[in-house]
Amino acid sequence: MPTKRVKQLNGSAAETESAFYDALNRADLDALMALWADDDEIVCVHPGGPRLIGHAAIRSSWAAVLEHGGLHIMPSQLHETHNLMSSVHTVVEGTAAGGEAAHLVATNVYVKTPRGWRIVLHHVSVAPGPAPVDTHSQILH
């Protein structure tokens, strides 16, 4: 019987991040969980929620979040700090919650593993006020 091949994302943390938001938007729990590191110490914090540690707790939380469909999150304003083995991204997550535009701030941490870049931390907070203006990309040198 042929075995199912799992797509390897070896290119960059940015590709893993793109696949993460794509899986969220499609409500694809299996694709989402395949992006997490194999480490038992992975962490996820949903807005206003407790710290979840480990695959079982994180999978269960995402299953509940995605049970009614995709989230339609558009990440923007990436700020990235990285080295050869890790990458820390902060992004503004734009979403339409209940027909109203809202934004969240997320920190996503990736580590390079033999299977490619994988998520070890996803932490999201509700951001007060209007979405920040991206002044970084407006600076010309």
Side-chain angles (χ1 to χ4, degrees):
M1 176 163 52
T3 59
K4 182 178 177 184
R5 293 187 57 99
V6 176
K7 182 176 181 183
Q8 302 285 322
L9 294 174
N10 295 311
S12 69
E15 288 176 344
T16 301
E17 183 159 78
S18 178
F20 174 77
Y21 286 105
D22 179 59
L24 284 178
N25 291 337
R26 292 183 296 109
D28 187 338
L29 182 60
D30 290 333
L32 178 74
M33 293 308 299
L35 298 168
W36 288 83
D38 292 332
D39 190 338
D40 287 332
E41 300 303 317
I42 59 175
V43 176
C44 183
V45 180
H46 296 293
R51 179 178 62 177
L52 305 169
I53 300 173
H55 286 272
I58 293 171
R59 183 180 186 86
S60 176
S61 73
W62 282 118
V65 168
L66 297 174
E67 79 178 333
H68 298 294
L71 298 181
H72 309 291
I73 293 175
M74 291 85 41
S76 65
Q77 300 184 33
L78 169 64
H79 180 271
E80 179 180 11
T81 303
H82 61 91
N83 61 36
L84 291 175
M85 299 304 288
S86 65
S87 189
V88 179
H89 294 191
T90 59
V91 297
V92 174
E93 293 184 345
T95 184
E100 285 187 39
H103 75 283
L104 306 165
V105 177
T107 301
N108 300 312
V109 179
Y110 304 90
V111 295
K112 191 164 190 177
T113 74
R115 293 181 51 225
W117 289 91
R118 294 293 183 259
I119 304 165
V120 293
L121 169 74
H122 176 69
H123 184 176
V124 183
S125 298
V126 175
V133 175
D134 183 6
T135 57
H136 239 65
S137 64
Q138 297 172 359
I139 299 172
L140 301 176
H141 295 277

